[in-house]
Amino acid sequence: MNTRLLAPQSLPSIQHTLKSLKVGHKFTTARPAGSGDAWWICQLARASQQSLVVICADPLEARRLRNETRLFDKELRISLFPDWETLPYDSFSPHQDLISERLETLHRLSQSQVDILFVPLTTALYRLTPPSFLAAYTFSFKKGERLNEQALRDQLILANYNHVSQVTASGEFSVRGSIIDIFPMGSVVPYRLDLFDDEIDSIRSFDVDTQRSIYPVKEINLLPGREFPMDQEARHQFRARFREIFEGDPSRALPYKDVGNGINFAGIEYYLPLFFNETATIFDYIPEHSLCLTSGDLEGVIQQFWQDTQSRYHFLKADRERPILPPDQLFLSAEQVFSTLKNFARISLDAQQAHTGITPAPDVAVLRRHEQPFMRLQELIEKDDSHIILCADSAGRRETLLQLLQEQQLRPSQVFDQLSDFIAEPQKFALAIAPIQQGFSLNLNLIANSDKPKNAPTTIIILTENDLSPGSSSGTQRRRRKQEQQSNVEAMVRDLSELREGDPIVHVQYGIGRYQGLVHMDVGDGLVEMLQIEYANQTKLYVPVSQLHVI
């Protein structure tokens, strides 16, 4: 198939949207169906050739879109600016991995290395460290450079890195003779510097579990260990600002004493403005001519956030040992957010409008009791005007689906390792690994150029496991909502028709056995449908279908 059918420049709807944009104005457009919004965002980013900032009212939606856009386009540089995942004024700090991801994203933004940025709306309300802090506390090492070990120790400690005996997490370092291990913030692996006298002889990444080297690198960048400085000057700044804002004897306040002693106490992030003369926002890191895309009820979410924050502030502000800052010093108001958004050309996705070119996927739900469970999928494949891909959540799920399809005489023409391969070269019916949430249809007559080849399909349909089993959750969702699914039978075993006699099956209490089919047993209240599981020495266990949550 001609790949230019799916090129951004061949999509009139995208071009129309871009031509309608003006700085300071909001352009509202229909939201594509299913996970088609992620595909559409990729096309928008490529067609605009500008940085795209996507602000989502729902934090889970922001993470989903980040994950799915990476599946649709492997070349775009896509980032998520994550939340601290703490409530305002919590007396504990965010996980170090979250801080690492946030600092990495801010650094990449400052270096113009982000094509699409996803930001949960409530995260965008938080005031941040100014860009000048990152610039001042970010440094790098290159192989062959001279290095003063003691100066490096001091620099890392000032950058809020922890000196440990063995590096296991972001923001840690250790020194053992001529070997220096560092786990930089924003990095997925730690690095080992091997010194020859005062020269860096080699830099290699290594595994935190085995402590064995993996591969050599020529240079590493070190971001700060926290989102605020902790050197002597910063601590003086904190204490001076603290005395200005809070009344009474500051020596009785734990934050004042801890910072004076150089202690990063739990929850220090909610005192961040005291470290700086001026704070920044995420909008200060976004390139000037970026496009902004918003999704969901922004005003309602901000209003609810401020209501909850004000409530927590009034409840906690009377604590003399731990006084807290007023919300307006920590968070942006709705007026400030919408005023800042006027600096960008803005697109708003309206879920109430039906997108004409990107529509819901056809109904292909498996008919469990039917002689041909995949009858609907088979009828769809037989249509001449459609190209179809079925997305599996993982490699294991792909093999399971492939076996099920072959048993029904449905053989994919090609099996892809990733969804982007199919997007580049669609097939009549294919299978790929792509854990996307919901399928959708691309109507090429409405979204692609009009001079496409005569033999080209009119529709590309992307299906997911959720489309085959409506009401059940994908593997990612199962892990996220494990407790909720304890009572959701269909979510525990996606489809009983997937089980074959002899398949290994795991019972939460009795372990691994062999599935031997369904049987009906009378246990006093009439016939009950049971799963029969066989263990060693032909020991059998019967599990009621109503208790599949133990499987």
Side-chain angles (χ1 to χ4, degrees), residues 372-418:
Q372 295 179 323
F374 289 84
M375 179 183 66
R376 293 173 177 171
L377 177 60
Q378 185 172 3
E379 292 174 351
L380 185 64
I381 295 172
E382 291 173 354
K383 293 182 178 180
D384 294 332
D385 60 347
S386 300
H387 280 187
I388 303 165
I389 185 166
L390 178 58
C391 299
D393 288 345
S394 63
R397 290 296 306 165
R398 183 185 64 180
E399 296 308 310
T400 299
L401 286 174
L402 189 59
Q403 179 183 350
L404 291 172
L405 292 171
Q406 290 174 345
E407 290 174 358
Q408 300 297 322
Q409 306 304 312
L410 297 174
R411 291 180 172 83
S413 58
Q414 193 164 351
V415 177
F416 294 99
D417 289 329
Q418 53 191 22

Side-chain angles (χ1 to χ4, degrees), residues 490-519:
E490 290 190 6
M492 302 308 296
V493 174
R494 190 180 296 274
D495 189 349
L496 281 176
S497 63
E498 292 183 359
L499 290 175
R500 296 290 181 268
E501 292 190 15
D503 283 353
I505 194 169
V506 183
H507 189 282
V508 295
Q509 184 175 355
Y510 298 102
I512 301 175
R514 292 282 181 183
Y515 173 67
Q516 298 298 328
L518 293 173
V519 297

Side-chain angles (χ1 to χ4, degrees), residues 115-410:
D115 296 319
I116 305 178
L117 174 68
F118 293 98
V119 187
L121 175 59
T122 52
T123 306
L125 301 180
Y126 282 66
R127 297 188 181 275
L128 306 175
T129 180
S132 58
F133 166 71
L134 277 184
Y137 286 82
T138 299
F139 50 100
S140 63
F141 300 114
K142 292 182 180 179
K143 179 181 176 181
E145 285 186 343
R146 295 195 176 278
L147 184 68
N148 185 307
E149 180 187 318
Q150 187 57 47
L152 174 63
R153 285 175 182 252
D154 297 339
Q155 193 172 15
L156 288 171
I157 291 174
L158 288 177
N160 278 316
Y161 279 72
N162 297 320
H163 189 194
V164 295
S165 59
Q166 180 173 312
V167 168
T168 60
S170 300
E172 295 180 345
F173 78 98
S174 70
V175 180
R176 303 189 307 276
S178 64
I179 296 177
I180 302 174
D181 291 345
I182 306 175
F183 203 144
M185 300 297 285
S187 175
V188 295
V189 292
Y191 295 95
R192 177 163 294 151
L193 282 65
D194 193 351
L195 303 183
F196 181 75
D197 195 12
D198 62 347
E199 181 180 309
I200 301 176
D201 187 52
S202 68
I203 305 175
R204 302 181 67 89
S205 62
F206 68 91
D207 185 278
V208 293
D209 295 322
T210 64
Q211 294 292 303
R212 292 184 176 181
S213 298
I214 305 176
Y215 55 83
V217 296
K218 295 181 179 180
E219 181 181 6
I220 59 172
N221 291 316
L222 286 182
L223 298 174
R226 295 275 187 167
E227 296 181 38
F228 52 85
M230 205 61 179
D231 54 27
Q232 193 67 33
E233 182 180 350
R235 286 151 55 189
H236 283 313
Q237 164 91 352
F238 180 98
R239 288 158 66 91
R241 293 289 306 280
F242 193 98
R243 291 191 297 268
E244 291 175 8
I245 295 174
F246 299 111
E247 298 179 353
D249 183 5
S251 62
R252 298 180 56 187
L254 295 178
Y256 185 87
K257 291 190 292 184
D258 285 347
V259 171
N261 294 325
I263 300 174
N264 290 326
F265 61 89
I268 191 174
E269 288 74 16
Y270 288 100
Y271 295 87
L272 183 140
L274 300 184
F275 287 100
F276 306 102
N277 293 322
E278 290 185 0
T279 54
T281 68
I282 188 63
F283 301 104
D284 294 314
Y285 287 87
I286 295 171
E288 183 179 357
H289 299 292
S290 300
L291 296 183
C292 185
L293 177 69
T294 56
S295 170
D297 180 15
L298 303 192
E299 190 168 355
V301 169
I302 295 176
Q303 183 179 355
Q304 184 62 50
F305 175 86
W306 268 88
Q307 181 178 334
D308 295 342
T309 301
Q310 291 280 12
S311 176
R312 289 179 62 82
Y313 173 71
H314 290 301
F315 179 74
L316 298 170
K317 68 176 183 179
D319 187 351
R320 293 182 178 274
E321 287 190 349
R322 192 184 177 97
I324 55 179
L325 293 170
D328 59 358
Q329 294 193 29
L330 293 170
F331 311 105
L332 299 179
S333 64
E335 181 181 354
Q336 289 171 317
V337 170
F338 290 114
S339 175
T340 305
L341 287 177
K342 290 182 179 179
N343 297 326
F344 304 93
R346 178 183 166 198
I347 304 171
S348 177
L349 292 181
D350 185 1
Q352 303 302 317
Q353 295 184 37
H355 198 287
T356 56
I358 306 176
T359 56
D363 181 9
V364 293
V366 174
L367 304 174
R368 295 181 179 83
R369 303 296 181 183
H370 199 276
E371 292 182 358
Q372 295 179 323
F374 289 84
M375 179 183 66
R376 293 173 177 171
L377 177 60
Q378 185 172 3
E379 292 174 351
L380 185 64
I381 295 172
E382 291 173 354
K383 293 182 178 180
D384 294 332
D385 60 347
S386 300
H387 280 187
I388 303 165
I389 185 166
L390 178 58
C391 299
D393 288 345
S394 63
R397 290 296 306 165
R398 183 185 64 180
E399 296 308 310
T400 299
L401 286 174
L402 189 59
Q403 179 183 350
L404 291 172
L405 292 171
Q406 290 174 345
E407 290 174 358
Q408 300 297 322
Q409 306 304 312
L410 297 174

